[in-house]
């Protein structure tokens, strides 16, 4: 069975998510906040396991115009739900509505749920449904009066890798950290540094990427419990992922001036099973010194909104500029929401990219150093 599939992602990451899917062998079509592709059950498993920058993987069952609740009901009822769901399926329904006549999301969720239940009761000849089985989360998405009915194959968002079990102040989402690594053009043969590492998310994502480790290997997905997808294809995808792992020596250092967050970093690298790949040091980023050439710095310094006062953040940006501008062969990638970052840093970025850290609009300021000689880097990090 082939499906219409959707990988959702944060705005600004569509090209990265599309490239990841293309590397997996799928043709893609990008829209705002999502990438469409087609594939079978194995594609569902592979996408969930491998996508570093996506938030969820959906199966889109149908889309149709819905300007009335009756239209929404009939469009949902027309799906052959018994082909997908067992009689005891647990069916939570979530929704969203943008620029649509049917703007009450709770009402839309209720209508969709009633249509699914009516369909299954008729198909199975049951007056009631127990809903004691595996969860199958249904999403109804309305955009300009077009309703899309989707199944969420992921369960928890894909940023929940399974290694960040401890709370951190102002955490960076794992998918955004992975995107920063990919945008840096780093490969496993170059030194990688995060001198303001916090709880270690960027360094961990770099280690996973550098060793070609599928980011979803430590967690489970809702679709594993669905009969029409199933455990077997996920077992096959996991076996493929294990076989794809490589073992190269990585030079990754995560450092910070705060011993408490470094303890979080140590625990998270251990939970992520990359503790042998990331060196953790207590150090002041203002005094950073390079011990090798052609390295890459990727970091998320405090914005002055939650962790530090604005004045402190601005002082830090000035000091980082004085330090990092001396690194002739290094590339530097810094994420912040401060609108005057370049002025404070003392240098205009080679490129800026708007990204969202949760609901905070940020920019990734990209300073490109020279590429290393070919004998020092083969640039091979594709899976």
């Amino acid at each position: 069975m082939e499906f219409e599939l959707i990988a959702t992602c944060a705005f600004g990451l569509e090209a990265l998510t599309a490239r990841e899917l293309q590397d997996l062998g799928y043709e893609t079509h990008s829209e705002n906040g999502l990438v469409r592709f087609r594939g079978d059950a194995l594609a569902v498993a592979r996408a969930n396991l491998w996508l570093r920058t996506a938030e969820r993987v959906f199966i889109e069952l149908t889309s149709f115009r819905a300007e009335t609740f009756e239209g929404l009901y009939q469009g949902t009822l027309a799906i052959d739900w018994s082909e997908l769901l067992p009689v005891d399926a647990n069916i939570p329904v979530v929704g969203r509505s943008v620029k649509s006549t049917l703007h009450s999301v709770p009402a839309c969720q209720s209508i969709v749920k009633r249509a699914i239940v009516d369909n299954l009761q008729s198909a199975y000849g049951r007056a009631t449904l127990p809903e004691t089985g595996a969860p199958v989360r249904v999403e109804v998405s309305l955009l300009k009066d077009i309703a899309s009915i989707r199944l969420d194959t992921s369960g928890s968002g894909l940023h929940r890798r399974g290694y960040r079990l401890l709370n951190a102040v102002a955490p960076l989402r794992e998918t955004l950290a992975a995107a920063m690594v990919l945008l840096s053009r780093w490969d496993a043969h170059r030194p990688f540094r995060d001198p303001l590492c916090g709880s270690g998310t960027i360094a961990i994502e770099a280690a996973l990427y550098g060793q070609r480790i599928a980011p979803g290997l430590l967690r489970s997905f809702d679709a594993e419990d669905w009969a029409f997808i199933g455990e077997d294809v996920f077992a096959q995808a996991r076996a493929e992922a294990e076989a794809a792992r490589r073992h190269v020596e990585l030079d990754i250092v995560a450092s910070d001036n705060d011993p408490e967050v470094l303890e979080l970093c140590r625990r998270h690298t251990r939970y992520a099973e990359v503790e042998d790949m990331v060196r953790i040091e207590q150090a002041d980023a203002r005094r950073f010194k390079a011990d090798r050439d052609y390295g890459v710095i990727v970091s998320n310094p405090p914005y002055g909104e939650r962790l530090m006062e604005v004045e402190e953040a601005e002082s830090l940006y000035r000091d980082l500029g004085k330090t990092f501008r001396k690194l002739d062969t290094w590339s530097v990638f810094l994420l912040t929401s401060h609108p005057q970052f370049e002025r404070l840093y003392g240098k205009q970025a080679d490129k800026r990219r708007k990204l969202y850290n949760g609901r905070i609009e940020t920019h990734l300021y990209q300073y490109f150093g020279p590429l290393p000689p070919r004998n020092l880097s083969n640039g091979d990090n594709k899976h």
Side-chain angles (χ1 to χ4, degrees), residues 170-230:
L172 182 71
R173 184 165 282 204
E174 294 88 334
T175 44
L176 179 55
M180 292 168 65
V181 173
L182 296 181
L183 289 168
S184 76
R185 306 177 189 176
W186 173 74
D187 69 69
H189 302 275
R190 300 173 67 183
F192 185 98
R193 304 287 184 266
D194 180 358
L196 296 142
C197 70
S199 60
T201 306
I202 294 174
I204 291 170
E205 292 297 324
L208 295 175
Y209 176 66
Q211 295 287 33
R212 205 178 290 143
I213 299 171
L217 277 175
L218 295 178
R219 55 162 288 174
S220 61
F221 307 91
D222 277 7
E224 293 182 69
D225 295 323
W226 301 353
F228 73 99
I229 299 292

Side-chain angles (χ1 to χ4, degrees), residues 123-137:
Y124 288 115
R126 297 284 296 268
T128 60
L129 301 176
E131 293 202 50
T132 55
V136 182
R137 194 173 84 147

Side-chain angles (χ1 to χ4, degrees), residues 343-376:
R343 177 181 63 79
L344 296 164
Y345 186 79
K347 184 178 181 181
Q348 186 173 350
D350 297 314
K351 189 174 182 180
R352 288 194 304 171
R353 192 179 188 118
K354 184 191 295 186
L355 300 171
Y356 286 87
N357 185 9
R359 295 184 178 182
I360 300 174
E361 180 182 316
T362 66
H363 283 87
L364 180 65
Y365 294 90
Q366 304 171 64
Y367 298 90
F368 298 109
L371 292 175
R374 292 181 63 87
N375 63 323
L376 296 183

